[in-house]
Amino acid sequence: MDNVQTNFKTLLHVISKSPLLKHLAVVNVSLFNICKCDDSTIAELFQCLPVVESLFLSIWVIMCLVEDGIPRELPISLVHLKYFYLEHMCFVDDYGLPFLALLIRCSPNLEKLKLQVIHKSTYMQSKIDSVCLEDYSDISLEHLNELEIRNCRNLKPELEFVKLILAKSPMLKKVTISLNNRVAKDEEMEMLRILFCFPQASSVQISVRRPI
């Protein structure tokens, strides 16, 4: 789905009629594209995707489904999910990291994770510094072999997330980080130095790319 205005009841109805759906993309949306006028939940969305293998979502979709916050666990498992792409990921809001941890916990066979990051100017440095990834130390990515992060700005939460993934992914082979155009050359070099100092559970190739 791309630039479609609908509500979740209709969206879930369409998806539920396709029990063999293996690929779903609901991206390039905003809170204005998807209207929440019912009590749909994340669990209901995932229950409609029993055999999904690749999933592309915008964080705005998730925000509309969790008015009371992100649950820690779900009563379902996306055992077939191999590739997950999250658009509009923000590391310092109340949705990004909690949802990502939730998705990882219920996707034991995830092989590729891709994030497109946004940065909100309303967050102060104190908010960035307060993000703690120790709360996610229980996650495990036994089959992850590729991580890609786009629009990275070399902020503490972003680097700490990469550190967590490196430590929790024994099959990880490739990490690609595409930088935001505001990142200076000296920041890029410092970022590389930090990344290569992180403990790694596997032999992994780390590359940092500047915007073209």
Side-chain angles (χ1 to χ4, degrees), residues 176-188:
T176 304
I177 299 176
S178 299
L179 299 176
N180 179 279
N181 57 17
R182 295 178 61 182
V183 178
K185 187 65 176 180
D186 58 336
E187 289 182 276
E188 177 187 353

Side-chain angles (χ1 to χ4, degrees), residues 153-167:
R153 277 189 59 188
N154 194 25
L155 299 177
K156 176 185 174 183
E158 299 169 351
L159 292 178
E160 288 298 306
F161 177 76
V162 176
K163 180 180 180 180
L164 178 67
I165 299 301
L166 289 172

Side-chain angles (χ1 to χ4, degrees), residues 10-191:
T10 301
L11 174 61
L12 293 177
H13 176 74
V14 172
I15 296 174
S16 67
K17 296 300 181 181
S18 308
L20 299 181
L21 188 65
K22 293 185 177 182
H23 310 283
L24 175 66
V26 188
V27 294
N28 293 327
V29 302
S30 71
L31 291 175
F32 300 101
N33 295 117
I34 293 190
C35 308
K36 174 146 178 72
C37 55
D38 53 63
D39 56 356
S40 304
T41 66
I42 288 181
E44 289 178 287
L45 173 62
F46 286 170
Q47 284 169 348
C48 293
L49 302 168
V51 298
V52 68
E53 296 178 2
S54 64
L55 184 59
F56 293 39
L57 293 177
S58 166
I59 196 62
W60 305 128
V61 175
I62 304 307
M63 289 172 64
C64 290
L65 288 172
V66 287
E67 292 182 343
D68 297 324
I70 305 287
R72 183 175 176 81
E73 296 181 359
L74 291 175
I76 53 176
S77 182
L78 301 177
V79 296
H80 299 281
L81 186 62
K82 301 294 181 63
Y83 176 28
F84 179 60
Y85 168 46
L86 182 60
E87 183 184 59
H88 303 133
M89 166 69 182
C90 181
F91 283 93
V92 294
D93 63 13
D94 297 328
Y95 299 94
L97 278 174
F99 172 70
L100 197 53
L102 175 68
L103 189 284
I104 290 172
R105 290 188 183 106
C106 70
S107 306
N109 297 308
L110 191 65
E111 295 180 0
K112 181 175 180 179
L113 176 61
K114 180 177 177 180
L115 308 174
Q116 183 263 324
V117 181
I118 60 171
H119 304 95
K120 301 180 180 179
S121 59
T122 55
Y123 288 112
M124 304 299 290
Q125 187 65 44
S126 58
K127 176 67 174 179
I128 295 173
D129 292 338
S130 69
V131 174
C132 178
L133 271 75
E134 291 182 1
D135 296 338
Y136 309 104
S137 60
D138 64 316
I139 68 171
S140 178
L141 289 155
E142 295 295 328
H143 299 279
L144 189 73
N145 57 58
E146 185 173 351
L147 170 67
E148 181 179 352
I149 302 179
R150 292 186 173 184
N151 199 36
C152 185
R153 277 189 59 188
N154 194 25
L155 299 177
K156 176 185 174 183
E158 299 169 351
L159 292 178
E160 288 298 306
F161 177 76
V162 176
K163 180 180 180 180
L164 178 67
I165 299 301
L166 289 172
K168 296 288 185 175
S169 308
M171 300 297 292
L172 189 63
K173 300 300 180 186
K174 183 179 180 181
V175 173
T176 304
I177 299 176
S178 299
L179 299 176
N180 179 279
N181 57 17
R182 295 178 61 182
V183 178
K185 187 65 176 180
D186 58 336
E187 289 182 276
E188 177 187 353
M189 300 305 297
E190 176 65 11
M191 182 179 182

